[in-house]
């Protein structure tokens, strides 16, 4: 292993040599013909001609190589008071039998399967069983409402959906089955079969000839072997928010993904086979795909599947309990989870109750790590606290302190340096490079490294339009930021209409589409305003139709309910104000950044392009009514 500078340089100057070597950590059914196919930019393909099976690499080969009795998965569920441990052999047994179930239902290589499940071992088994058959899974986060699930069903067109009877959110029971039924009613594509895992505390009603019981199917299932697939075949689709109401189906291939994730565990997370790695996220998000399921299992680690939160399940000591009880070496979560602990236990009384001597690193991502939270976590834990930056599209980090290569001094507010493979640049609107410390648009020179999105699901044109066309030769991240004089990357936030709420990526455009359907609404804008716990929260500004008079609180309640019904509670939409009109440029563009500044209590200049400046005072007044637009910026975590 070389130093960071050497490794980084090699990854950019000789990507084929660099990733060709990394690929030896994966077991191939057939070796690739070429490491990188650059013949059709911007559609780059890694390990063309190679064949492998991701599930084989995550399970079978570890059992064959003597890890059969090692714990592969620790399921820790404070909400159901359950802890269960599964060895690699046991997970392999469950996965190969569930793959048999799916095969009997007609699922074959290349078919799609939607998984709508809470954080239970069966979700992991379902994902790996798809991978075993060469089928393409699309996991949908449980906090999404039926309409969002229906959009994903329509796009992925699965013949089989896998779900569960329900989940427990802290103390509240959430029934998944009625949500699934409603989604299938709404969807134009109708899946033939639904496999339902009945949780002991909640029995779902079943629809005859469509719904099948997981346990019953498993009791008659025979295990099936792995089906080799092309390295370039899709492993999964994961939908993520774009600027419109139609989510983007990010595609992940098999070969590049396995190589990149296996590499990242060792060189970014400094985590070795046999160690305990815990990503406190959800299988419905990219972090869950990469670092609850695939990354740790491809590496032969023990992964922790945690069905709980950082607070309230039952207290702010929950994370420390899990770390000490299961010997976690590396924890990966979102800064919000730590801000929640900090709020309830500012002096860290709970941490004193647990032995964290085996705990080594805290990695945070999903949103900007504000320096306050960094210092609090670092002072409390006295361990490295590492901010790193990535996106659903990339599937693994773009910039990080790569602890397995070289540990750089941490600069709070920065995610350190570009990860080998990512040629990160900061440019202005015209595509010119900007100076150190000058904020601009963050792009990555093509080709992107293995494991990143080869395209969007059945939407090559949208892929090109969204990411590749804006600055030809570069992938546009939609994030703003800068390099400092030491080459550290600072990511300052999205430059589009995507917002980040508790580390979850949400589209304000999608919320606007829902609000616009209200019978009294003429037009609306949703912006992300700063919040001291969740980073950002959506706030709606609503213009009523001519002649309509509505009481603000009552209208707000209706809009909140509409967003919960259409998008889901995870949107965290709780605030809206009525305004006479929206501030716009003379050409009709809504001045969102000005509204955002007003909401955050920042100084703002009246834009020279505004059609009528008098509306800004009214908006400031309205936002004050709901606790925003406070000039002391108490809401900001920064
Ligand atoms: N199914 C159904 N509903 C869900 C859900 C699920 N899987 N997950 C969340 N929800 C609901 C919650 O119950 C809540 O509903 P409410 O408005 O009725 O209370 C809403 O969605 C928002 O959830 P959440 O953002 O989790 O807020 P919270 O107040 O319950 O918890 C934190 C606050 C800080 C503990 C929580 O946001 C957190 O842990 N954030 C870290 C996020 C994270 O790990 N991100 C992953 C990226 S790495
Ligand atoms: P998602 O696709 O849900 O992972 O969200 C990706 C977005 O989250 C990025 O485009 C960033 O805006 C934001 N993000 C993720 N990690 C970080 C980080 N470490 N610092 C700043 N922003 C981040």
């Amino acid at each position: 292993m070389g130093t960071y500078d050497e490794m980084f340089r090699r990854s950019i100057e000789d990507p084929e040599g660099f990733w060709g070597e990394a690929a030896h950590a994966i077991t191939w059914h057939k070796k690739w013909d070429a490491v990188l196919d650059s013949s059709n930019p911007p559609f780059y393909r890694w390990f063309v001609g190679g064949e492998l099976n991701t599930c084989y690499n995550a399970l079978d080969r570890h059992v064959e190589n003597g890890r059969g009795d090692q714990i592969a998965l620790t399921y820790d569920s404070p909400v159901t008071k359950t802890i269960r441990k599964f060895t690699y052999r046991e997970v392999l047994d469950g996965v190969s039998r569930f793959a048999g179930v799916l095969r009997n239902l007609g699922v074959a290589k290349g078919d799609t399967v939607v998984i709508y499940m809470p954080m239970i071992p069966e979700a992991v088994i379902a994902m790996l069983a798809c991978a075993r058959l060469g089928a393409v899974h699309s996991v949908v986060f449980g906090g999404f409402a039926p309409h969002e699930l229906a959009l994903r069903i329509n796009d992925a067109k699965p013949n089989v959906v896998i779900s569960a009877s329900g989940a427990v959110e802290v103390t509240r029971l959430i029934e998944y089955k009625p949500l699934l039924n409603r989604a299938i009613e709404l969807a134009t594509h109708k899946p033939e079969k639904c496999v339902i895992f009945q949780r002991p505390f909640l029995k779902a009603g079943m629809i005859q000839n469509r719904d099948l019981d997981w346990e019953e199917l498993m009791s008659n299932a025979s295990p099936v072997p792995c089906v080799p697939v092309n390295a370039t075949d899709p492993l999964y689709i994961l939908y993520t928010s774009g600027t419109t109401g139609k989510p983007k189906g990010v595609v992940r291939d098999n070969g590049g993904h396995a190589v990149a994730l296996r590499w990242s565990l060792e060189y970014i997370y400094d985590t070795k086979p046999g160690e305990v790695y815990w990503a406190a996220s959800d299988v419905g998000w990219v972090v869950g795909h990469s670092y609850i399921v695939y990354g740790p299992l491809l590496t032969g680690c023990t992964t922790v599947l945690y069905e709980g939160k950082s607070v309230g399940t039952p207290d702010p000591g929950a994370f420390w309990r899990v770390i000490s009880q299961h010997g976690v070496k590396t924890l990966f979560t979102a800064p919000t989870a730590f801000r929640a602990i900090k709020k309830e236990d500012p002096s860290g009384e709970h941490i004193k109750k647990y032995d964290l001597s085996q705990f080594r690193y805290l990695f945070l991502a999903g949103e900007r790590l504000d320096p306050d939270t960094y210092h609090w976590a670092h002072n409390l834990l006295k361990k490295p606290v590492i901010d790193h930056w990535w996106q659903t599209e990339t599937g693994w980090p773009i910039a990080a302190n790569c602890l397995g290569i070289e540990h750089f001094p941490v600069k709070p507010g920065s995610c350190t340096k570009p990860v080998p493979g990512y040629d990160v640049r900061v440019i202005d609107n015209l595509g010119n490079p900007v100076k150190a410390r000058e904020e601009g648009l963050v792009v990555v020179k093509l080709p992107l490294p293995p494991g990143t999105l080869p395209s969007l699901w059945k939407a090559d044109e949208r892929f090109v339009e969204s990411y590749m066309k804006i600055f030809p030769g570069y992938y546009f991240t939609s994030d703003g930021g800068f390099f400092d004089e030491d080459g550290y990357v600072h990511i300052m936030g999205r430059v589009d209409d995507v917002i980040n709420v508790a580390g979850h990526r949400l589209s304000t455009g999608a919320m606007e589409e829902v609000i616009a359907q209200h019978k009294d609404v003429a037009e609306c804008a949703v912006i992300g305003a700063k919040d001291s716990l969740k980073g950002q929260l959506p706030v709606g500004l609503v213009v009523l139709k001519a002649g309509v008079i509505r009481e603000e609180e009552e209208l707000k309640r209706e809009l909140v309910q509409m967003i919960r019904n259409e998008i889901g509670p995870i949107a965290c939409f709780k605030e809206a104000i009525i305004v006479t009109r929206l501030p716009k440029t003379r050409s009709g563009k809504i001045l969102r950044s000005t509204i955002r500044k007003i909401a955050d209590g920042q100084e703002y200049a009246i834009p020279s392009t505004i059609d009528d400046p008098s509306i800004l005072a009214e908006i400031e007044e309205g936002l004050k009514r709901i606790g925003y637009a406070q000039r002391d910026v108490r809401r900001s975590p920064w």
Side-chain angles (χ1 to χ4, degrees), residues 286 366-368 387-392 479 491 494 500 505:
V286 67
E367 57 182 316
R368 183 162 183 266
D387 181 12
H388 61 326
W389 165 57
W390 52 302
Q391 309 183 313
T392 304
D479 275 315
I491 297 298
R494 301 285 298 197
N500 198 313
R505 180 166 153 183

Side-chain angles (χ1 to χ4, degrees), residues 142 169 172 280-281 287 309 336 502 504 534 564 569-570 574:
E169 258 292 292
R172 196 159 35 107
S281 177
V287 176
K309 302 216 176 196
T336 301
H504 304 135
K534 298 197 173 180
R564 286 180 79 91
I570 201 65
K574 302 220 156 116

Side-chain angles (χ1 to χ4, degrees), residues 333-521:
T333 191
T336 301
F338 265 70
R339 286 199 293 269
I341 302 174
K342 178 171 116 192
K343 196 169 163 198
E344 291 200 9
D345 183 18
S347 57
E349 290 308 310
H350 284 266
I351 205 168
K352 296 175 189 153
K353 300 183 201 158
Y354 300 97
D355 171 13
L356 301 190
S357 53
Q358 294 200 61
F359 180 48
R360 216 172 23 174
Y361 303 129
L362 170 64
F363 280 86
L364 296 169
E367 57 182 316
R368 183 162 183 266
L369 172 58
D370 53 290
D372 270 3
T373 306
Y374 167 79
H375 288 299
W376 181 80
H378 187 249
N379 292 341
L380 197 67
L381 292 168
K382 313 253 180 308
K383 316 261 175 185
V385 174
I386 307 297
D387 181 12
H388 61 326
W389 165 57
W390 52 302
Q391 309 183 313
T392 304
E393 286 83 349
T394 64
W396 60 289
I398 311 168
N401 206 334
C402 293
L403 297 187
I405 305 176
E406 191 176 341
H407 191 165
F408 286 106
V410 167
K411 290 193 193 185
S414 163
C415 47
T416 318
K417 302 207 179 195
V419 169
Y422 290 96
D423 190 354
V424 178
R425 313 276 176 99
V426 179
I427 57 175
D428 64 18
N429 285 330
L430 299 173
N432 302 312
V434 300
K435 291 199 228 67
R437 290 223 166 260
E438 211 173 287
E439 206 171 317
L441 306 171
V442 188
V443 295
V444 185
K445 191 167 185 301
L446 299 178
L448 291 172
T452 54
L453 81 171
S455 190
L456 295 174
W457 182 249
K458 300 209 185 302
D460 284 347
E461 247 173 62
R462 191 175 181 198
F463 166 76
V464 174
E465 290 283 330
S466 309
Y467 306 108
M468 303 295 178
K469 209 172 169 179
I470 308 138
F471 300 106
Y474 295 84
Y475 164 77
F476 179 42
T477 66
S478 297
D479 275 315
F482 61 91
F483 273 107
D484 69 17
E485 50 293 335
D486 299 321
Y488 278 52
V489 181
H490 300 247
I491 297 298
M492 304 310 290
R494 301 285 298 197
V495 295
D496 57 10
D497 295 331
V498 164
I499 59 171
N500 198 313
V501 179
H504 304 135
R505 180 166 153 183
L506 297 164
S507 161
T508 53
M511 296 187 215
E512 287 170 7
E513 282 177 28
V514 174
I515 294 174
Q517 289 165 22
H518 190 285
K519 64 177 178 20
D520 294 334
V521 172

Side-chain angles (χ1 to χ4, degrees), residues 469-588:
K469 209 172 169 179
I470 308 138
F471 300 106
Y474 295 84
Y475 164 77
F476 179 42
T477 66
S478 297
D479 275 315
F482 61 91
F483 273 107
D484 69 17
E485 50 293 335
D486 299 321
Y488 278 52
V489 181
H490 300 247
I491 297 298
M492 304 310 290
R494 301 285 298 197
V495 295
D496 57 10
D497 295 331
V498 164
I499 59 171
N500 198 313
V501 179
H504 304 135
R505 180 166 153 183
L506 297 164
S507 161
T508 53
M511 296 187 215
E512 287 170 7
E513 282 177 28
V514 174
I515 294 174
Q517 289 165 22
H518 190 285
K519 64 177 178 20
D520 294 334
V521 172
E523 62 173 341
C524 65
V526 174
I527 54 121
K530 279 187 180 168
D531 179 74
S532 60
L533 176 64
K534 298 197 173 180
Q536 280 187 305
L537 279 177
V539 173
L541 280 73
V542 176
V543 180
L544 297 177
K545 285 182 180 158
V548 172
I549 298 171
R550 290 296 313 265
E551 202 261 318
E552 193 170 73
E553 268 305 308
E554 190 190 41
L555 178 71
K556 180 162 80 183
R557 273 197 299 279
E558 290 166 15
L559 297 177
V560 167
Q561 200 50 51
M562 281 175 81
I563 299 261
R564 286 180 79 91
N565 293 347
E566 292 286 306
I567 297 178
I570 201 65
C572 295
F573 182 88
K574 302 220 156 116
E575 292 297 349
I577 56 169
I578 297 175
V579 292
T580 328
R581 62 192 173 281
L582 297 173
K584 291 186 184 169
T585 62
R586 281 179 214 105
S587 59

Side-chain angles (χ1 to χ4, degrees), residues 7-8 10-12 14-23 263 420-421:
M7 269 181 107
F8 182 76
R10 172 138 193 259
S11 76
I12 302 303
D14 176 23
E16 298 199 49
F18 186 91
W19 292 111
E21 265 169 38
W263 184 91

Side-chain angles (χ1 to χ4, degrees), residues 56 83 102 219 247 282-283 292 340 426 464 488 509 511 530 553 576:
Y56 176 82
I83 293 178
L102 291 178
S219 62
D282 189 288
V283 288
I292 295 176
V426 179
V464 174
Y488 278 52
M511 296 187 215
K530 279 187 180 168
E553 268 305 308

